[in-house]
Amino acid sequence: MSTNNNMPQSYNDRASSTGEADVGVDPASGSFFSADYKRHEDLKAMLDSNKDNLKLEAMKRIIGMVAKGKDASDLFPAVVKNVVSKNIEVKKLVYVYLVRYAEEQQDLALLSISTFQRGLKDPNQLIRASALRVLSSIRVPVITPIMMLAIRESVTDMSPFVRKTAAHAIPKIYSLDPEQKEFCIEIIEKLLSDKTTLVIGSAVMAFEEVCPEKIDLIHKNYRKLCNLLVDVEEWGQLVIINMLTRYARTQFVNPNRYGEHMDNERFYESEHSSQEDQTPVTPEAPKSFTMDSDHRLLLRNTKPLLQSRNSSVVMAVAQLYHHVAPKTEVGAVAKPLVRLLRSHREIQSIVLSNIATMTTTRKSMFEPYLKSFFVRPMDPTLIKLIKLDILTNLATEASIGIILREFHTYVASSDREFVAATIQAIGRCASTISECTDTCMNGLVSLMSNRDEAVVAESVVVIKKLLQMAPAKHKDIIVHMAKLVEKITVAMARASILWLIGEYCERVPKIAPDVLRKMAKTFITETDIVKLQVLNLATKLYLTNPKQTHLLCQYVFNLAKYDQNYDIRDRARLLRQLALPNEKSGALAKHAKKIFLASKPAPVLESKFKDQDQFQLGTLSHFINAKSSGYQELPDWPEVAPDPSVRTVEAPMPWTDDQPKAKKPTKKKQSFYSESGESTGDDSSSSESDSDEESSDESGSEDEEESKSEKSVEAAESSAAEVSSSSEEETSASEESASETDSEEEEKPKKPVKKPGKAAVAAVAKQQLLLLDFDDVPAASSAPALLPGNALAPSLLTGAVVNEKTSPLQVTVSSAVFVPTQTRELLNRISGSGLSIDYRFTRTQNIYSGKMVTVELTLTNSSDQDIKNICIEQKVSCRTSFCSRCL
């Protein structure tokens, strides 16, 4: 017993004694195959750690899994906790993950809405945009008000990337709650007025998704969209071009309505041409037709996009020209489309299908590029078939020889579908070009002796169609085809031969009965389509030659009476009553010959792409030749063009329009210097005397210029008077000394004499240029005028002086939020013999150039004597700061 207790226990004994299974022994029971295996345990641990580098590495691996199509939804709880991470890189990747899985894990995503809302206020624009994107990806109607508030705030964001994301969120909220359409239209209207190219494409996309019928939103933005189209991103260009195509079809008249005549001179005119030339055109006077300037603007601004690297943009411009442009200008898209044939086969198939549609109506466009459509051995079958169709459409009397030689090479291909299409293309060439009909017919007859039955069968079918056009000329071909009935085994070819013999049985009266006799022997083994043609042949032969074929006809009808196919039985019953009349036959039996032997129109061989022109080029509906879901039909041209004035937008007055207003404040400068002269005494008097002498020449030249345009000067001074009167009221409220000056200036506009005032303006302008001869800007244009101790404030609030001859810029008075008051010493009073100069940067906009910095100088006389004739001996252009060389 003791020995038994000391013996080692077996595996089963250990398992039963402990009550637990050892999963490490059996490979099949390992953790890898167990149902409760915890996936991504290492990633969850890394996401729960306190180190940002581990979280970043985990998020990179997770995003890599998502990019490869692997399911990472079970990591959502671990990932969403890191949305509050302070690491920007981690937060970006977290938002990328949430955009992918927020719609699937809606309950967990709702718990982090407060975090997303805080992310909308983040200083980083990428975080704000990502937060809005995640918020709009949560497909829960409860948070619609939160989404609306977030979108409304993001539309006014300073970052165009955030506004672009807001535009992408509009279709999402509209699909979630269609009742918010009015809100979406309001936001879209704001986004369409955005002048940033990054936002416009997304705004138009939202417009197309939500309210494509609101065409009035496009009127005032039409010209802006055309002008900015070149700078928009590629996919934005695609959306805008498609939208403008439909817009042009509703707002402009058809440029091809009056034929080839077009006013090409408008192509070189400015886009701002007057609207007076756009007189309505009547059919009685087609020569007076002039294309709308906005129509021409669209064509002119989209033409450079034909050189785009994006094939979709090139295709969009091509369809725009096809549907909107005059016929004489559509040829510009041919070469760019041919260039796209060097792309991938998927792109080739789309481009070729559109080219095939265009060649049905505009053959001359692609004739110079005929060899670009030759079939290559490595082309897939779909592309081969489309190229065959294009070559057939482009065939002319001059190029038919080259095309037929190509077709002769294609017939030897191993691709049976391609060979059959080539034979059909030969038949189309024979039917469209009468000069090569005999040549094509002889080639098809020679193919009937080919070893490949598929080639022979297709040749017979095509010859049958061609013989219907001129059967009298090709009697020998019918006889030759009758001899091939026993050799040809393809059902369609046999049926075609039988139909030809029955249709033209009067031309071969000796051969037709013998063919019927042979077919009666094999009637039971023939296919259904051949049996039907045998019945037709028997009926026609009985009506034309009843003596020889009466018994054969009855025999065939009896065989068909008991056929397994009910169609054949019904056809035999019908034909028996018409061809073999009896007492029970009706009135139709008398007209049997008229019914069966009536002349039939010849078939028209056309391209299968001819009817695809009903769909807009470049769309899915055009490619599949069927209306797909979401397809918007291209509107018809209006008979009369709508009012073009709806596209005229009153833009804010540009700075150049207010230029004459700079003349009036020069008079106020005189009052300013007269006031400062009283405080400084002889200093100002000496400077005024010098300036008066130097301004005499300028005043004389201004008087000459004034004599040429006296009316414009009067209008400018009258407008300046209004500005000065309003500015005087503001200045009088700030300082009492300035109020006296303003009161004097209020009387000046009332004086009838203007020329002396003009001379005074020139004198003061010259005086200002002397004092500001540092090639920099005085501290005159800033609102630091409200600071105490600023002696220049009164006059600068009322205006500033700018000489028109030296600088035509407009003086704009703007207020700064923060103006530094710290000054620095430029010239010490000891070095300057009692004259000290301090300077400070005012941080205000420069009136001369945006690259120049405004600096304010303060000159102080610390000596007992007056300092006169302050000047600059050596002038140095220092645009960023003043140096010791400037004084």
Side-chain angles (χ1 to χ4, degrees), residues 221 817 841:
N221 300 301
V817 179
F841 296 97

Side-chain angles (χ1 to χ4, degrees), residues 819-864:
V819 179
T821 58
Q822 181 181 2
T823 60
R824 294 175 177 82
E825 186 179 41
L826 179 63
L827 180 63
N828 190 274
R829 63 179 181 177
I830 299 176
S831 302
S833 301
L835 176 64
S836 63
I837 302 178
D838 297 334
Y839 71 95
R840 71 182 180 93
F841 296 97
T842 60
R843 294 188 182 180
T844 56
Q845 185 178 3
N846 196 281
I847 63 175
Y848 295 107
S849 173
K851 299 180 179 179
M852 300 175 66
V853 179
T854 304
V855 181
E856 179 184 275
L857 297 180
T858 304
L859 284 73
T860 305
N861 185 7
S862 302
S863 63
D864 299 335

Side-chain angles (χ1 to χ4, degrees), residues 484-522:
L484 296 175
V485 174
E486 297 179 355
K487 298 180 180 180
I488 297 177
T489 58
V490 180
M492 190 65 189
R494 293 170 65 87
S496 298
I497 294 176
L498 293 176
W499 185 91
L500 275 176
I501 296 174
E503 185 69 18
Y504 307 108
C505 58
E506 295 179 354
R507 302 182 184 277
V508 284
K510 297 181 180 180
I511 298 177
D514 189 56
V515 172
L516 179 60
R517 180 181 58 82
K518 293 180 180 180
M519 297 306 299
K521 293 180 180 180
T522 60

